[in-house]
Each structure stands twice: as C-alpha cells, then as structure tokens.
Amino acid sequence: MGTETASVEISEPLLHDSDKIRPLQSVDDDDQVPEWQDQITLRAMVVSALLGTLFCIITHKLNLTVGIIPSMNVGAGLLGFFFVKSWTGLLSKLGFPVAPFTRQENTVIQTCVVACYGLAFSGGFGSYLIAMDERTYNLIGADYPGNRAEDVKNPSLWWMTGFMFVVSFLGLFSLVPLRKVMVMDYKLTYPSGTATAMLINSFHTNTGVELAGKQVRALGKYLSISLIWSCFKWFFSGVGDSCGFDNFPSFGLTLFKNTFYFDFSPTYVGCGLICSHIVNCSVLFGAILSWGFLWPLISQYAGDWYPADLGSNDFKGLYGYKVFIAIALILGDGLYNLVKIITITLKEICNKSSKQSNLPVVNEVLDGDSSEVTLEQKKREEVFLKDRIPTWVAGAGYVGLVAISTATMPIIFPPLKWYLVLGSYVLAPALAFCNSYGTGLTDWNLATTYGKIGLFILASLVGRDGGVIAGLAACGVMMSIVSTAADLMQDFKTGYLTMSSAKSMFISQLVGTAMGCVIAPLTFWLFWTAFDIGSPDGPYKAPNAVIFREMAILGIEGFSELPKHCLAMCCGFFVAALVINLLRDVTPKKISQFIPIPMAMAVPFYIGAYFAIDMFVGTVILFIWERLNRKGAEDYAGAVASGLICGDGIWTIPSAILSIFKVNPPICMYFGPSLSS
C-alpha cells in the first residue's frame, strides 16, 4: 500500500535517496521457478491468516485512535519469513520432509497479508462505515441541520461482512488485463512494490538470510519489550479516561490541558521510526500551530464568535473550528495531489507516443555483466507472461460482481439506489486506472481522495432524504475499487521482480481479500464490543468518523451552519494547503525537504498533540541513530519499529478480552495540582 490520507496512511521511505534502486540480487535458491500451483502452499495460507489477523488489529487500533497508518510491509515480510523458516526448521529436525521456502512463496505470503489488512483500512471501519453510527450522529448533534436520525446505521457484524464481500473484489478484476501494459510496457516503478521485491529477494541470498535473521531477532526483542510495557501500563490505567501513563503530564499540567504530553505509547513511537522525518515534523508543527496557538486564541472569543456555555464536543463551538479547519486542510492537500497525479499521468501517457519516455524506470543495469542482466530480465518477462489470466475471466468477473453489487447495495443501504451504484461502477475502472498509474509513478495511493469525491457527489445528488448514508456508502464503493486495483498492480510489480507467476499473484490477492472480508470485520467487532469506540474523551476517538459524516452533511447543506468566521478560516487554510504543496514542488529539494506536508499537519488539529510528541520522539531516535550508524539504522529501524507496533497491537487482544469480561485495572494513577495548605 502506498501513501494515503485521512485515514492517513503514510508510506515508510522504503527507497532512500542515497539508496537508488539496485539491481535485484541473484538468488541462491536454484534458478528453477516453481509452477504457479506450487507457489501457493497450505503453510503460506496459514501464515498469511495469522499475520493478516495481527496486522488488521494493528490497523484498526491506529485507525480508531489517530488515523495515521504507516506502511507495515517490512514487518509483514520479516514475520512471514520468520514463521515459515521456523516451521520448516522444526519439521526438518523432527525428520519430516519439507519443501524449500522459495522467494515466490514468500511473495505470496506478502501479497495475502497486505491484501488482508488493506481491507481494515479501505473497508472504512474507522471512517465512512462508523460515520453512519448513532454515536457519531449524537456527537454532531440531533439539532444540527442535515444530521437526521433516519441517517443512522449502527455497525453489525453481518451487514459489514456482506458489504466487504460485495465491494472488495471489484477492483481486482477491473485492471487485470492491463498488467503487462502497466508493469512491462510503461515500466512503472511502483516504489513500494519494488522495495518489497528487493526485501524478499535479499532474504533468499546467503548474506540476506543472515541479515534477515538478525532483523527478526531485533523485531522479536522489541516486540517483547513493547508487549510487556503495554501489559505493565494496563495495571495503572484504572476505570475511565484520565488514569495511567496514557495521561502522564510530562510537561506540566498547563500543557497537559492542551494535550501536550508524552503518553508512552510504543505504537506511536514505532510510527515515528517508520514515517519520514518530514511527516513527523509536519505532525508536530500542526499540533503546535493548532493546540499551541489557534485554539487558545479562538477560545478567547467564546461568547462572541460562539456561545460560551457549549460542551467541548459541540459543533457550534470550538470543536466545529477544529473539525472544519482540519477538513479544509485535508481537502486542499487531497485536491492538489489529485490534480497533480492526473496531470503527470496524462503527460506521461502522451509521451508514450514518442520513443523517449520520461517515465521513471527501474535501473536494472549498474556495473554487472549486462548480458547476464538481460537474460535475467528476459526470464522475468517469460515467467510473468507464462501463466496468463484470460481477459474474458477479468471481464466476466467484473460484470458478474457489478450485477451482484448493484442488486445487493440498495438492500444494505436503501438510500443508495441501484442506478447510482451502477453509474459508480461504470466510472470506477477509469478512476482505478488513474489511481494505479499515479501510484506507479509516485507511490501515492489517493483512494481516500477518490472516495471523498464520490461522497460529495452522491450526497448532493440524493439530497436531504438519505444523502448522508448514500454518500458514505458511495465513498466505500469508490475507495474499495481504486485502492484494491492499485494494490494489485503493486503486487504484480513485486511478482515480476521476484519471478513469481502473475496467476499466483492474482489468486493470492483473491485469497487475501477473502480473508480480509472475514478477518477485518471480526477484529473490528472485537474493538467495538470491548471498547468505547467514538467517545471524544476516550482513547478510541474514531476521529475520521466525524470528519466523514460532516463531509456528507456539507455536500447536502452547504456552509450555512458553520460557526462565526469559520468559513473564512477554512478558505484560508484550504488555500494555504494548495500554496504549501505548490511550494514543495517548485522549490529546490534542499528547501522543499523542510516544508511541512498539509495532510500530516491536519491530523492533530482535531485529535490532540499527544501522539505528535510520541512520533517526534521516534523521529529523534531515528535521526540520532542515523548520525551514529546509518547502515545499522537502515537495516534495523524498520524491524525495531515493527516490533514496537506489533507488541502493543498484540496486547490489544488480552486487553479487549479483559474489558469484555468487565475485568478492570486495579490501580488508577492520576495526576492533579497539589492542594494548597
């Protein structure tokens, strides 16, 4: 998965500027490429299901707390390698014959896991689906114009699972016939897919196996530390939302009230290690700008700009400024990048008419024997084209799924009429192509932006009588199709570079998606049952639920009900997002690398500054590590970060079970001002 937004999925810098795309290592497994059936093994499916469950839980936790989701490809790759190597090693010691673990099987696991946990993101469990629920409706306010009680659909395991199966497979069939064009003819880089292939290929060399073993040990060490620490923290978290290390006033009580504190979260520190320095600094800058200056300034006008007696989560008060200004930044950033990607896409497609293409290509020839590289490339192309997926299968699959979805969606969401669903599916392949092409060029997956466009259009078309539900459901349709189509092309690129069959990649995506359609709703239901999801004062705020519902209402009602001066401020921040992005593109790199990213800035505007502190701690650790030992940081930072995130994620399972059985932490560690004598 590439870089995405709000929920903000931020891709790790897999390809460092100093680390240009190298020639793919020649592997030490023999040169025989297994048949596609042999690449998809039972052990690969079992490992994929286990890792898919773990990463779905992690994705849900991040989605329901802050909405920032870093790429976890390194963690998935390392853990997949570790589990199968451990499996084969144990069976060998017991005397059982075992098939060798090939890079093709490793690629199948990676594809399945990413497809599975990708649905925890694109499935809308932290955004458009939960935006339909009663809690989000009540949070916005029953008397808020356009927020109708009829536009409520509470989560249910059955309809959510059905919805996943209905919409999640369409994107896989929409672009399958173009795999050769995108990967071989246009030679799109798909940076995350290429980096994943390099990672997998490196595991299957002698030196790579040794490094992978060290990385796995580092991941296991920090996973254990994170798990033990999360368990230790639980004992002091008491009942309610104000106890424990998660509410530790690290910088004093005054700053604590403005959400500036370090909350000792391994997950957010791990995110800081994975995300680039500019992302982490942008998040902190947004936190300082909003919670350090803007909100204290606006709060001084309580009683003038808005009624002073409103609750802290009333949209007619300060909370309205927080949410709508964040929306303005998100939309400004998303619109700019959408136009930019489409412009680049059209320009490069036009350039294909001439022999000299400006598309970035994988530089496969460095100093080695060029004839050997050419032979390797020919072999990759031969393997990639060998097991064809017939065009009629893709066409029939897409048409059949469209028919099922067109009939089913109005049953799940009555305001979304069948002809609106059908119209969406007619346009979807073109949008999926634009998104997949743009992802191949830039690594930016703009699925959420396309989803928001669908949300606005459908909400305004349907109007007040069901427009909110229709818009949110249409957002899900668009997001699912364009996101899975881009992920599939990423996987085809990975498969091409690891000499994996295109057919095994496609089937792995189908299996991983089917797993995700079951695992993502089930793991979400664990959170929904155990925790107070959507409470603005709790840890699981589900911040994007409010954002998406407000966008749907805006599509229907317009801007008439915004607080005083809020519209002018929103316009200012929208323009600022456009200008900042433009500056990032037109200024020299030595300057642009210090210009913040508006999308990342927007996240703390309505959530708080605490996670920005944690992520900044992570980026400071990485910065110092890079200065002391750059090679060590490049080799192990991803493993350490994945361990911190996975350990905290694993603790979520026993924590949820304890919560379901009403077992409360025994101690409430609380901080308050000292009493005067």
Side-chain angles (χ1 to χ4, degrees):
M1 295 191 297
T3 307
E4 188 39 83
T5 54
S7 308
V8 183
E9 188 192 358
I10 298 179
S11 195
E12 61 194 287
L14 288 167
L15 300 177
H16 300 280
D17 294 330
S18 60
D19 193 23
K20 304 298 183 191
I21 301 177
R22 298 181 293 270
L24 297 168
Q25 300 95 324
S26 59
V27 290
D28 293 330
D29 355 282
D30 60 44
D31 289 337
Q32 287 295 107
V33 176
E35 292 296 317
W36 72 266
Q37 300 95 325
D38 299 325
Q39 296 175 22
I40 304 171
T41 63
L42 177 62
R43 67 189 180 192
M45 295 300 101
V46 172
V47 169
S48 298
L50 289 172
L51 292 180
T53 302
L54 172 61
F55 284 105
C56 274
I57 289 171
I58 293 169
T59 302
H60 285 316
K61 180 171 183 179
L62 290 168
N63 222 351
L64 294 170
T65 49
V66 297
I68 288 185
I69 305 167
S71 172
M72 292 177 280
N73 287 358
V74 170
L78 282 172
L79 286 171
F81 179 81
F82 167 72
F83 278 126
V84 178
K85 277 293 188 182
S86 301
W87 184 326
T88 55
L90 178 63
L91 290 179
S92 296
K93 287 181 180 178
L94 295 175
F96 292 99
V98 290
F101 180 40
T102 64
R103 54 175 167 165
Q104 288 80 15
E105 187 180 359
N106 203 338
T107 306
V108 164
I109 294 172
Q110 183 84 6
T111 300
C112 268
V113 173
V114 172
C116 181
Y117 84 77
L119 289 190
F121 165 70
S122 64
F125 297 99
S127 54
Y128 59 84
L129 284 189
I130 199 172
M132 302 176 186
D133 82 328
E134 189 173 1
R135 167 157 270 166
T136 307
Y137 160 76
N138 289 327
L139 184 60
I140 291 175
D143 59 342
Y144 193 86
N147 190 39
R148 305 185 319 143
E150 293 84 355
D151 290 324
V152 169
K153 188 172 183 66
N154 284 313
S156 160
L157 191 57
W158 300 111
W159 76 254
M160 288 192 304
T161 304
F163 172 74
M164 289 287 99
F165 274 105
V166 165
V167 303
S168 299
F169 291 91
L170 282 140
L172 302 182
F173 288 91
S174 61
L175 295 185
V176 166
L178 297 179
R179 67 192 182 283
K180 178 180 178 293
V181 174
M182 305 283 265
V183 173
M184 289 174 57
D185 297 343
Y186 286 173
K187 296 186 183 297
L188 296 172
T189 50
Y190 288 100
S192 287
T194 299
T196 301
M198 291 170 61
L199 181 74
I200 290 172
N201 281 328
S202 72
F203 288 164
H204 297 270
T205 63
N206 289 332
T207 53
V209 167
E210 184 180 347
L211 176 60
K214 293 178 180 177
Q215 289 172 327
V216 166
R217 285 192 289 275
L219 189 151
K221 174 183 175 182
Y222 285 92
L223 185 151
S224 302
I225 292 172
S226 175
L227 179 60
I228 293 168
W229 172 247
S230 298
C231 176
F232 176 77
K233 282 203 307 178
W234 178 83
F235 283 94
F236 297 89
S237 58
V239 180
D241 302 317
S242 57
C243 303
F245 287 93
D246 290 343
N247 295 278
F248 192 95
S250 325
F251 309 118
L253 290 171
T254 302
L255 287 174
F256 177 78
K257 289 177 182 176
N258 283 321
T259 72
F260 284 96
Y261 58 93
F262 178 65
D263 75 345
F264 297 91
S265 168
T267 294
Y268 304 146
V269 174
C271 288
L273 282 167
I274 288 180
C275 294
S276 64
H277 294 308
I278 188 58
V279 168
N280 296 317
C281 293
S282 297
V283 170
L284 182 63
F285 178 69
I288 294 170
L289 178 65
S290 55
W291 292 90
F293 296 99
L294 198 56
W295 307 151
L297 179 65
I298 293 175
S299 64
Q300 293 178 9
Y301 293 93
D304 180 12
W305 289 11
Y306 59 92
D309 57 349
L310 296 176
S312 60
N313 300 307
D314 195 311
F315 273 84
K316 296 183 180 67
L318 182 61
Y319 194 65
Y321 292 93
K322 295 176 183 177
V323 170
F324 287 112
I325 291 175
I327 289 175
L329 272 175
I330 290 168
L331 290 180
D333 188 288
L335 181 64
Y336 179 90
N337 283 292
L338 178 64
V339 173
K340 173 185 169 183
I341 298 300
I342 290 175
T343 303
I344 292 172
T345 300
L346 293 175
K347 179 182 175 184
E348 297 300 343
I349 289 175
C350 291
N351 285 345
K352 289 304 293 180
S353 59
S354 62
K355 281 194 171 184
Q356 189 65 31
S357 171
N358 293 324
L359 284 174
V361 297
V362 179
N363 182 11
E364 289 163 339
V365 182
L366 243 149
D367 340 0
D369 185 356
S370 60
S371 62
E372 188 178 322
V373 173
T374 303
L375 285 173
E376 186 178 344
Q377 182 172 335
K378 283 182 178 178
K379 186 169 184 179
R380 278 204 298 269
E381 292 175 355
E382 179 186 325
V383 170
F384 190 69
L385 297 175
K386 178 184 173 186
D387 300 309
R388 294 183 179 276
I389 304 161
T391 302
W392 70 265
V393 170
Y398 189 78
V399 171
L401 288 169
V402 165
I404 294 169
S405 185
T406 302
T408 308
M409 288 290 284
I411 298 172
I412 303 174
F413 307 108
L416 188 62
K417 303 304 181 186
W418 68 268
Y419 49 87
L420 296 174
V421 179
L422 185 59
S424 299
Y425 289 140
V426 170
L427 293 173
L431 298 178
F433 173 79
C434 291
N435 190 47
S436 296
Y437 200 108
T439 304
L441 287 171
T442 65
D443 211 30
W444 274 72
N445 184 340
L446 297 176
T448 304
T449 303
Y450 286 101
K452 287 171 192 159
I453 292 171
L455 188 159
F456 277 117
I457 293 173
L458 266 293
S460 59
L461 283 176
V462 175
R464 295 186 179 181
D465 188 15
V468 170
I469 293 293
L472 291 169
C475 175
V477 169
M478 287 297 180
M479 267 187 70
S480 296
I481 292 175
V482 300
S483 178
T484 52
D487 287 345
L488 179 65
M489 284 301 161
Q490 289 266 27
D491 290 331
F492 277 142
K493 182 69 176 185
T494 303
Y496 170 72
L497 295 173
T498 58
M499 293 191 192
S500 303
S501 164
K503 189 176 285 187
S504 72
M505 291 293 91
F506 183 62
I507 293 174
S508 301
Q509 266 278 358
L510 288 174
V511 173
T513 300
M515 287 179 182
C517 288
V518 176
I519 293 172
L522 279 173
T523 47
F524 170 77
W525 201 248
L526 176 72
F527 282 87
W528 183 259
T529 307
F531 304 116
D532 195 12
I533 304 297
S535 169
D537 300 316
Y540 294 97
K541 296 178 175 65
N544 288 304
V546 168
I547 293 284
F548 274 70
R549 190 174 183 93
E550 275 292 355
M551 285 183 182
I553 293 171
L554 278 177
I556 299 166
E557 297 290 329
F559 303 98
S560 58
E561 295 299 321
L562 297 182
K564 191 175 181 181
H565 301 304
C566 186
L567 179 58
M569 296 175 76
C570 287
C571 291
F573 277 91
F574 181 86
V575 172
L578 298 176
V579 171
I580 290 171
N581 273 301
L582 185 63
L583 287 174
R584 285 179 55 81
D585 285 339
V586 300
T587 53
K589 187 171 181 183
K590 62 182 180 182
I591 298 174
S592 65
Q593 65 181 332
F594 298 109
I595 299 177
I597 301 169
M599 184 70 68
M601 286 172 54
V603 179
F605 269 55
Y606 56 100
I607 297 173
Y610 58 93
F611 77 95
I613 304 292
D614 294 3
M615 290 181 67
F616 188 71
V617 168
T619 212
V620 168
I621 292 171
L622 181 62
F623 181 82
I624 295 172
W625 193 355
E626 287 172 338
R627 291 297 174 274
L628 296 176
N629 184 358
R630 177 168 288 277
K631 182 70 167 64
E634 288 179 0
D635 287 344
Y636 296 106
V640 170
S642 298
L644 291 173
I645 295 170
C646 290
D648 201 16
I650 290 170
W651 172 250
T652 302
I653 301 172
S655 172
I657 293 170
L658 290 170
S659 179
I660 290 169
F661 287 101
K662 308 298 182 186
V663 178
N664 295 319
I667 303 168
C668 173
M669 183 173 71
Y670 173 78
F671 297 88
S674 59
L675 298 174
S676 55
S677 54

